Amino acid sequence: MKNLYIALSFAVGTLTVTAQNKDTKNADNLYKKFEYVDAAKEYLKLVENGKSDGYVYKQLADSYYNVFNTAEAAKWYAKAVETNQDAETYYRYAQMLKANGKYEEANKQMQKFASMSPSDSRAKSFKENPNYVPRILSKAKAYNVNSLEVSSDKSEFGPVLYDNAFYFTSARNGARKTYGWTDEPYLDIYKADYNEDATITNASPVTNLNSKWHDGPITISADGNTAYFSSESFKEKESEKVKELKAKFSQVYIFKATKTGDTWGNITALPFNSKEFSCANPSLSRDGKTLYFSSNMPNGLGGTDIWKVAVKEDGSFGTPENLGSKVNTEGNESFPFIADDNKTLYFASAGRPGLGGLDVFEIDLTKGEATNMGTPVNSEKDDFSFSFNGKKNVGFFASNRNGNDDIFGAIPVCGVDVITIVTDAKTGAVLSGAKVAILDDKKNVIATETTSANGEIKYRVECDKPYVVQVSKDGYEGNTFAVVKSKGPSTKVDAALQPIDVIVTPDEIVLKPIFFEYDKSNITQEGAFELDKLVQVMKNNDKLVILAKSHTDNRGSDRYNINLSDRRAKSTVQYIISKGISASRISGKGMGELEPKVDCGKDCTEEQHAQNRRSEFLIVK
C-alpha cells in the first residue's frame, strides 16, 4: 500500500507500445489502472496459454513488484531478462533479489544496470562499493525493534507520535471501497492513545479528515492546531480522464487543516499541488517554519524526491526546493520525517545502497552524508516512514518484513563510547599500531581494531554492561583491561603496556598460566593471547631454545594424565611453530600430574585443579 505514496503519479503508466497487442490489451488496461492484482492474473493466463514473450514477463514481474511480492517478481524478471530490457528492469530485478537475500545474484543484475546507465548515481554508488551489504550488517545496533499490536491484517504505515496522541495511516476500514492496486480498502487516517506503559490503544478514524478517497499520512504542528496530510486531487475535483480506459486518475495532493476545539476543519489544498505531478508524505518541522514532503515534480533527480518548502508567518508558502543529491537519487526517496532538532532528517530510499526494497536513512542536513540505519530497523524487505519522538525517546516505522505493512516500535540502544588510549608503561609514550579487541562478558570478541597515530581506539557498546579490552603490540606484554559499567556518554580506558623484555628471566619465560579446560588439550583464546608473548620473545632473541612443559591436575589415572599432558604440550608447540618459529627451537614434554603447582592431594578445589592444568616454558639455551 505504501507504493501509492512512492510511485505517486496516478497518470497513465508508460508501457512499451510496440510490445502490446490484442492479446495483452485486457491485462495492459488493468495495469494502467493500477489494478495490479488482477493484471497479474491476466498476464499469467497469457503465459499459461503460450502467448508470453519478454514484454509479458516484464509486465507480470512489474505487477508483482508493485505489490512487493518479491519471490514472484524475481521469478518473472528472470524470464524477462532472457530478452533485452531497459536498464530500470535490471535495477528492479536486483532489488527483488536483495529482498530475498540473494545478494550475489543481485550484484550481477546491478552490474548490468550500471553498464547500461553508468552516469546514474545508483550505478556510481554500486561501482564505488559493490560489496556494501557486509558493511551495513556490521553496523552497531542502534535500536531494539518490536512489532506493535496496533497493527491489523491490513496495511499500516506513517506512524507519528505527538504528546500522547499516536497517528497512523491504515487500510483496515472494511466498510470502505476496495482499491484495485492492493486489493485492500482505501486508506484512512487513524488516531490512538499512547499510554504510560508504551501500549497503544483506542485506535479510531479521524473522521473530520478522512474522505472516500485515500487519506494519510499526516503531520501536526507543535501546538496541535494545524495538520498537513496527503489525500487525492479528486477532493478538488481535479483528475485526468482517459477515454480508452474509461477511467479517471488523480494525483496525490497535500492538504492543510486547522483545529477548532476538538474538530478539524478548514481543509484547503496547498498552492504548489498540481495536476501534472503528486506531492505527499508531509512532515512539519517543530518550529513550524519548514514543510518537508515527497514529490515527482519537475527538476528533481528522478523518480520521487524529498523536497522542502518554507511556511511563512502569514500562512503562505515559499517555492519548493529539492534537497539535492545528498538525499535524493534517480530512484525513489519518500516518507521524510524531520526530527525535533530541525536538522536530523529520516527518509526512505530505494535508490541508495540498502538491504532490499526500501531502507531507512538518516542525515544531518547541516553537514555530512545520508547513512543507512542498519539492522534491525532495516531488513531485506521494505522499511519506511520512520519517525522519532525525542521527549519519549521512542521511534516508530513501518515494514512488510512479516508479509504485510505493519507498524514497529524502535527503542534506542543506550550506547557508550569506550575510548582506549594505549601507551608504553615505562615512558608514557602513546603506541600506534597496537591491536585492541573488545570482548563482552561472555568473552566473545565484538571487534578488533588497530590504534591510530594518537594511540587511540573508540568502540561503541551498550550501556550498563561489563566489557574487557584486550591489547597487544609487538615488543610489549599484552594485557587485558576492564571496562566498568557505564551509562555514558563515554568512558576512558588507560591501557599501559609493559615492554616485553621484563618477562624474560635467566631460566624461563614467565607468562601468565596457560590454562586448559578440563580434559581438553586445545589452545584457548586466553592461552593464545599469552603464547603470543612467547612468540615475540623468541623472535627478538633468535638464539633462544625453549622446552614447554605441560601439566595436568590429579584427576584421572597416571597414564591418562601423561597422555593428556603430552597432547597439551604438542598443542602448545604447534601453536608456537604456526607463528613462524622454527621447530628446532621449541619442544614439549608432558609431565602429567607429577609436578603439581599446588600439592593439594585428594582435597583440591576447582581453582587448585585449574592452577595445576598449565604449561611452563624453560630456557634450554
Side-chain angles (χ1 to χ4, degrees), residues 58 109 218 232 273 292 296 389 415 466-467 496 519 567 580 583:
K58 177 186 180 299
Q109 300 307 318
I218 189 172
E232 296 192 51
N273 290 321
Y292 295 83
N296 59 346
N389 186 295
Y467 295 89
D519 203 31
R567 292 198 302 272

Side-chain angles (χ1 to χ4, degrees), residues 299-315:
N299 301 317
L301 273 69
T304 63
D305 284 353
I306 309 296
W307 299 70
K308 68 176 182 179
V309 64
V311 182
K312 300 180 180 180
E313 289 187 10
D314 62 2

Side-chain angles (χ1 to χ4, degrees), residues 147-156 168 170 172 397 404-408:
S147 58
L148 299 181
E149 292 184 359
V150 72
S151 299
S152 71
D153 62 346
K154 304 300 182 188
S155 293
E156 276 87 26
F168 62 100
S170 177
R172 66 180 62 191
F397 67 102
N404 196 48
D405 291 342
D406 291 329
I407 294 174
F408 292 78

Side-chain angles (χ1 to χ4, degrees), residues 133-408:
V133 170
R135 177 172 54 83
I136 295 175
L137 293 175
S138 67
K139 287 189 66 171
K141 185 171 107 172
Y143 294 88
N144 289 314
V145 165
N146 60 295
S147 58
L148 299 181
E149 292 184 359
V150 72
S151 299
S152 71
D153 62 346
K154 304 300 182 188
S155 293
E156 276 87 26
F157 59 96
V160 64
L161 177 63
Y162 297 113
D163 295 324
N164 294 316
F166 184 80
Y167 292 87
F168 62 100
T169 300
S170 177
R172 66 180 62 191
N173 189 348
R176 301 273 263 122
K177 181 181 176 182
T178 297
Y179 182 47
W181 184 326
T182 57
D183 208 25
E184 287 189 346
Y186 275 61
L187 297 167
D188 279 333
I189 299 168
Y190 278 75
K191 177 184 177 183
D193 296 327
Y194 187 81
N195 305 308
E196 289 186 7
D197 62 357
T199 58
I200 300 171
T201 56
N202 303 323
S204 60
V206 183
T207 55
N208 301 125
L209 297 180
N210 293 325
S211 65
K212 64 179 181 179
W213 315 112
H214 289 295
D215 298 292
I218 189 172
T219 183
I220 297 176
S221 62
D223 63 11
N225 293 324
T226 303
Y228 296 91
F229 65 99
S230 303
S231 191
E232 296 192 51
S233 61
F234 286 135
K235 279 189 176 181
E236 296 295 287
K237 296 183 170 55
E238 295 180 1
S239 62
E240 178 183 355
K241 187 175 182 180
V242 181
K243 291 182 180 179
E244 62 268 27
L245 297 179
K246 297 179 181 179
K248 292 181 179 180
F249 295 87
S250 74
Q251 298 285 357
V252 181
Y253 279 7
I254 297 176
F255 291 82
K256 177 182 177 181
T258 56
K259 183 183 280 187
T260 302
D262 293 327
T263 303
W264 291 104
N266 191 27
I267 298 174
T268 56
L270 298 195
F272 50 83
N273 290 321
S274 170
K275 291 190 294 183
E276 303 302 318
F277 52 81
S278 283
C279 298
N281 307 313
S283 179
L284 182 67
S285 62
R286 290 296 83 196
D287 62 8
K289 295 180 179 180
T290 309
L291 185 70
Y292 295 83
F293 62 98
S294 56
S295 177
N296 59 346
M297 65 174 61
N299 301 317
L301 273 69
T304 63
D305 284 353
I306 309 296
W307 299 70
K308 68 176 182 179
V309 64
V311 182
K312 300 180 180 180
E313 289 187 10
D314 62 2
S316 62
F317 297 87
T319 301
E321 300 175 41
N322 190 285
L323 293 193
S325 59
K326 64 182 180 181
V327 171
N328 297 313
T329 69
E330 286 86 344
N332 290 320
E333 281 71 42
S334 193
F335 298 104
F337 178 82
I338 188 69
D340 295 345
D341 61 9
N342 288 338
K343 66 178 184 179
T344 303
L345 182 77
Y346 302 96
F347 65 97
S349 175
R352 292 180 170 274
L355 299 178
L358 289 167
D359 271 23
V360 179
F361 290 78
E362 63 179 319
I363 184 173
D364 182 337
L365 293 174
T366 64
K367 61 182 179 180
E369 297 291 329
T371 58
N372 189 296
M373 291 182 68
T375 60
V377 170
N378 289 319
S379 68
E380 296 171 354
K381 306 302 183 181
D382 274 338
D383 308 289
F384 60 103
S385 66
F386 186 96
S387 68
F388 193 81
N389 186 295
K391 290 182 180 179
K392 298 188 184 297
N393 197 38
V394 61
F396 303 93
F397 67 102
S399 176
N400 66 355
R401 63 188 63 183
N402 294 332
N404 196 48
D405 291 342
D406 291 329
I407 294 174
F408 292 78

Side-chain angles (χ1 to χ4, degrees), residues 65 68-70 73-74 77 92-100:
Y65 175 91
F68 206 76
N69 185 331
T70 60
Y77 279 131
R92 288 188 171 195
Y93 184 20
Q95 302 318 298
M96 295 296 96
L97 289 169
K98 280 199 298 182
N100 289 293

